[in-house]
Amino acid sequence: MFFILSKLLFYIFMPISLITITLIWGIITKSLRLKKILLCTSLGILLLLGNSTIVNWGYHLWETPPPTSPFAQRYDVGIIISGGMMMNRESNHEQIFSGKTADRFLQPLRMYKKGLLKKIIISGGDVSINPLNNEHDSETAKTQQILIELGVKPEDILLETKARNTRENALNCAQILRSFPELKTSVLFTSAFHGRRAIGCFQKAGLNTTLYSCAIRAIDIGYTPDTLFIPSEQALAEAYQLIHEIIGYCVYRAMGYC
């Protein structure tokens, strides 16, 4: 129930959902005062969350920084949290297309090839809320496949395929590591915007892991008219991801998960 309710909450607070709700409400209400407030609110949300500069500032403030010396230490195991690493999940075995967060598996691959990781855990399961959907998320399997093709030994990869959210990622990975007591030190790979919630969940699960933030979204953009004043659909998409993560973090904190 928590999983379904959290997903629905995120959909409600999507920027496009907020704009649509306030716009339709403003059109159908008979109160002229409320109509003005709602229509101005709809426009304000569009101008605020569609502003590339403001959204980028938000990411700069929220994201956890990447490690300054990523190759300074060896770890027994690297933990990859899946999500957005692969595209085209319905493709066949020969087709693999990486997604926006492919950095989550590229960074541990680099460390493994340099001899800084002994094992790699890939964590992530079915994230669908559709009860009629019988398809399983193949991202974990495809990440395993591509890592093997790029030189990781099959016996050095451990799969966790049941987690549907970050808390379950942490709990399930902790359970796996209890079966491998020789794997004492770990490093956690996730997107920088997800770092706060991820490291909090893993620490709550009893894992004293090191966070490796990757897939950075905050960029250095110039202060030009198009980024300062013109709403962007890309900024709306980025704003949704940021709002989604901030709400998720707050909910997890309230529930004591991180």
Side-chain angles (χ1 to χ4, degrees):
M1 181 61 68
F2 168 77
F3 173 73
I4 296 176
L5 290 177
S6 63
K7 290 293 183 183
L8 293 176
L9 181 65
F10 295 143
Y11 287 130
I12 291 173
F13 280 93
M14 287 176 62
I16 194 66
S17 297
L18 294 175
I19 293 171
T20 303
I21 291 170
T22 53
L23 183 60
I24 293 177
W25 191 2
I27 292 173
I28 65 176
T29 183
K30 295 182 179 179
S31 169
L32 293 180
R33 181 174 180 274
L34 182 59
K35 184 187 294 288
K36 181 178 180 180
I37 292 173
L38 289 170
L39 294 180
C40 288
T41 299
S42 180
L43 178 61
I45 294 172
L46 175 62
L47 295 177
L48 179 67
L49 300 183
N51 186 297
S52 299
T53 298
I54 292 176
V55 173
N56 190 55
W57 283 346
Y59 274 101
H60 273 288
L61 293 172
W62 182 257
E63 288 187 320
T64 51
T68 55
S69 302
F71 304 127
Q73 184 175 345
R74 297 176 184 270
Y75 298 92
D76 293 328
V77 60
I79 303 170
I80 302 172
I81 298 180
S82 67
M85 295 189 295
M86 298 293 168
M87 297 176 62
N88 195 11
R89 295 173 179 173
E90 304 300 324
S91 61
N92 60 46
H93 182 74
E94 297 299 323
Q95 294 176 315
I96 295 181
F97 304 100
S98 62
K100 292 182 178 180
T101 64
D103 203 31
R104 293 189 187 190
F105 74 80
L106 290 176
Q107 297 305 325
L109 175 63
R110 293 179 67 207
M111 291 188 68
Y112 178 88
K113 299 292 283 186
K114 290 179 178 293
L116 301 176
L117 290 180
K118 295 179 182 178
K119 302 281 186 181
I120 294 175
I121 297 177
I122 308 169
S123 176
D126 185 4
V127 296
S128 173
I129 62 173
N130 181 1
L132 301 179
N133 182 15
N134 294 320
E135 294 295 329
H136 290 287
D137 186 350
S138 62
E139 179 170 288
T140 301
K142 288 192 175 185
T143 303
Q144 178 192 33
Q145 179 185 340
I146 197 169
L147 287 178
I148 291 173
E149 290 177 357
L150 293 174
V152 179
K153 297 178 182 178
E155 60 269 25
D156 288 340
I157 300 177
L158 303 172
L159 298 184
E160 186 287 301
T161 60
K162 304 213 178 272
R164 298 176 302 166
N165 53 47
T166 311
R167 180 173 183 255
E168 292 180 4
N169 287 131
L171 294 174
N172 295 349
C173 285
Q175 184 176 3
I176 289 175
L177 289 176
R178 282 194 289 270
S179 301
F180 296 89
E182 70 276 11
L183 302 178
K184 300 183 183 302
T185 58
S186 63
V187 55
L188 177 65
F189 297 91
T190 191
S191 298
F193 73 88
H194 186 55
R196 296 172 188 260
R197 180 158 47 144
I199 192 64
C201 286
F202 275 76
Q203 289 174 347
K204 279 282 187 178
L207 291 177
N208 185 21
T209 189
T210 299
L211 178 64
Y212 190 124
S213 297
C214 47
I216 311 296
R217 291 183 179 237
I219 61 174
D220 294 325
I221 60 175
Y223 296 105
T224 57
D226 60 323
T227 61
L228 286 171
F229 305 112
I230 302 176
S232 162
E233 63 275 11
Q234 180 62 36
L236 284 173
E238 295 288 346
Y240 163 67
Q241 190 67 70
L242 182 58
I243 293 171
H244 178 286
E245 184 56 35
I246 292 174
I247 292 175
Y249 177 78
C250 292
V251 170
Y252 270 51
R253 288 281 291 180
M255 297 292 291
Y257 294 162
C258 68

